[in-house]
Structures are given as C-alpha cells and as structure tokens.
Amino acid sequence: MNVLFVNACLRKQSRTKKLAKYLLEKMDQPYEEICVQNEEIASLDEKTLIERDRKDLGNKYFSYAKQFKEADIIVIASPYYDLSFSAKLKDYLETINIVDLTFAYNEQGMPYSLSNVKKVIYVTTAGGPIISHEYGYGYIETFFKAFYGVQDFEYYYAEGLDIIGADADGILERTKAQIDERYGY
Ligand SMILES: Cc1cc2nc3c(=O)[nH]c(=O)nc-3n(C[C@H](O)[C@H](O)[C@H](O)COP(=O)(O)O)c2cc1C
C-alpha cells in the first residue's frame, strides 16, 4: 500500500502535524510526505488554467497529480482555519484534481476515479470548538467520495486547544487514545 502524507500544517510546532506523525507511526507503513507550503503549488489563475488545458504531462505542474494518482492511502493534516482548512490545502486539491489524469467524467457527467486512492484519513486541530465539521473534514469527505469513489474514511481531531485554561496536552492525549484504539497501543 502506497501511503501519501499531505502535510498542510504551517507552524514548526504544529500540533496537527504532531498528531498526524503519531498516527503515521502507529500505522507502521512507509510513507511519502509532501509538505505543501514548501512546494511551488500555484493557485488557480488564468495562466495555470491554460497550462492545465495544454496537458503537457512532463510539466512540473502535473508532478503532484501523478504522485497522488499512485497513492492508495492519503493522510491529510491541516489546522482548522476559519471554519475549514489552510488555503494551501485547497491549492493542493485543485492541483491534483485533473480531468483525464486523476479522474474522468462518464457520459452522464459524473466523475469517476483514474487513481488508486482507496482510503483517506484526515487530521485536524482547532483552537476553539469545531463549530461545523462540514467545511473542513466534510469537504474532504465529499471531494474524495465524489471524484474518487472513496468509501473508507478516518477522522481524528482535537478541539478547544487555545481556550484559556484548556488542558491542551490532555485533549491531544484523548485524540491519540482514539488513534491507539484503531491502530493498537
Ligand atoms: C489564521 C487562523 C485561523 C484560525 N481559525 C480558527 C477557527 O476558525 N476556529 C478555531 O477554533 N480555531 C481557529 N484557529 C486556531 C487554530 O485552529 C489552532 O490554534 C490550531 O490548533 C493550530 O494548529 P497547529 O498547532 O497545527 O498550527 C485559527 C488560527 C489561525 C492562525
């Protein structure tokens, strides 16, 4: 199983990244990591749209989609930002979601997968309560279901970490215990 770790955490001391690394250790499988903020992942603009239409697959732009296409399990880590996730992660998703490369449309206009991905694991942490899971994890779930037919999801989150007086370490330990429950102690 090819595991791809999509690290969309921005801080060196990121607690989301630490949680994701804890999970990856427990999964005990080799993995490839892509740290999205260290990559030259262009946001969509007219230039990138033209580049996408040209479909020169040797172009660096498509290297992320080709890497994604080979992965069986995707582990995504992003902090909960503004009810969702980091814009860098959205840039990444737009970069890997390429029609006729990672997915295609059938005659009814419904997308189907041209990629290996079978499972997606999402890890996040939030300073306050996660007011809605819909725009962060929910978006990820719908995205991978709709384009790639993924049915197997795991979601680990720790919330309320920045609330004054919160026992952030204790909260993180409880999320780690959920990972232990799934992957063993
Ligand atoms: C730009 C920005 C936006 C944030 N938006 C939210 C938010 O909408 N809700 C919330 O509960 N916390 C929010 N936070 C707090 C982070 O979710 C929290 O500190 C998180 O644990 C940071 O993850 P990290 O330790 O992996 O960097 C925000 C923080 C930043 C810097």
Side-chain angles (χ1 to χ4, degrees), residues 25-176:
E25 221 168 89
K26 288 276 166 166
M27 286 171 71
D28 199 22
Q29 291 182 57
Y31 64 89
E32 208 173 333
E33 175 172 349
I34 175 161
C35 179
V36 296
Q37 74 172 330
N38 293 341
E39 300 292 327
E40 284 174 25
I41 295 174
S43 299
L44 284 185
D45 56 16
E46 191 170 23
K47 186 168 158 265
T48 46
L49 288 177
I50 290 168
E51 209 161 285
R52 286 160 72 104
D53 286 345
R54 253 193 226 126
K55 277 267 168 49
D56 173 5
L57 295 185
N59 190 319
K60 167 98 173 115
Y61 184 83
F62 294 102
S63 61
Y64 303 106
K66 288 195 280 188
Q67 178 190 46
F68 163 78
K69 197 174 156 75
E70 299 308 318
D72 301 287
I73 301 175
I74 314 284
V75 177
I76 302 174
S78 171
Y80 185 65
Y81 283 162
D82 302 314
L83 304 181
S84 175
F85 41 70
S86 69
K88 299 268 183 225
L89 178 55
K90 184 63 164 62
D91 283 341
Y92 175 79
L93 294 174
E94 285 169 353
T95 302
I96 55 112
N97 208 37
I98 306 276
V99 67
D100 294 334
L101 176 58
T102 56
F103 77 98
Y105 288 107
N106 69 16
E107 283 168 8
Q108 286 74 44
M110 293 301 286
Y112 64 91
S113 179
L114 299 176
S115 300
N116 288 344
V117 57
K118 293 163 198 70
K119 180 184 185 99
V120 173
I121 307 176
Y122 189 68
V123 180
T124 194
T125 70
I130 296 181
I131 290 169
S132 168
H133 293 268
E134 197 180 339
Y135 311 111
Y137 170 71
Y139 176 83
I140 295 293
E141 193 188 87
T142 304
F143 176 92
F144 283 99
K145 265 186 193 163
F147 288 102
Y148 300 98
V150 173
Q151 295 297 327
D152 192 356
F153 292 91
E154 287 175 31
Y155 177 33
Y156 299 102
Y157 63 92
E159 60 187 332
L161 297 182
D162 299 337
I163 294 172
I164 295 167
D167 173 15
D169 289 340
I171 296 168
L172 287 163
E173 284 309 313
R174 285 204 287 281
T175 309
K176 284 182 185 171

